[in-house]
Amino acid sequence: MALALTEENFDKIVNSGKIVLVDFWAEWCMPCRMIGPIFEELANEMDADKVTFTKCDVDTERNIAVKFSITSIPSILFFKDGQVMDQVVGAVPKRVIVDQINELI
């Protein structure tokens, strides 16, 4: 299950030494609702010792969204060692996300 990313836990999660995916989303966003189940499915399938899946609601965590210049949702940022390594925008197929993760592992 994907963790809720907040300003309070952001640094601890992103700097955990794992690959961290952040799904920037909003409840009212239809494409976000389309990719949400895929993201949750991956969170349950991938090795939790290597990859952490998080969700950041842009309506409640605006400061994080602004910090990373999120202007379109859904947007998934891929972090490694606390740094943004890649980004995917839009409702993409599961394979696209898996391929990005595999490139970082």
Side-chain angles (χ1 to χ4, degrees), residues 6 12 21 27-28 39 51 63 68 82 86 88 90-91 95 105:
T6 65
K12 180 179 179 182
L21 278 69
E27 187 66 37
W28 48 263
F39 199 78
V51 184
N63 290 339
F68 293 100
D86 211 339
V88 172
R95 183 84 245 150
I105 292 180

Side-chain angles (χ1 to χ4, degrees), residues 11-31:
D11 287 332
K12 180 179 179 182
I13 291 173
V14 171
N15 294 303
S16 66
K18 300 178 187 178
I19 305 298
V20 178
L21 278 69
V22 181
D23 176 16
F24 288 89
W25 72 287
E27 187 66 37
W28 48 263
C29 168
M30 264 314 166

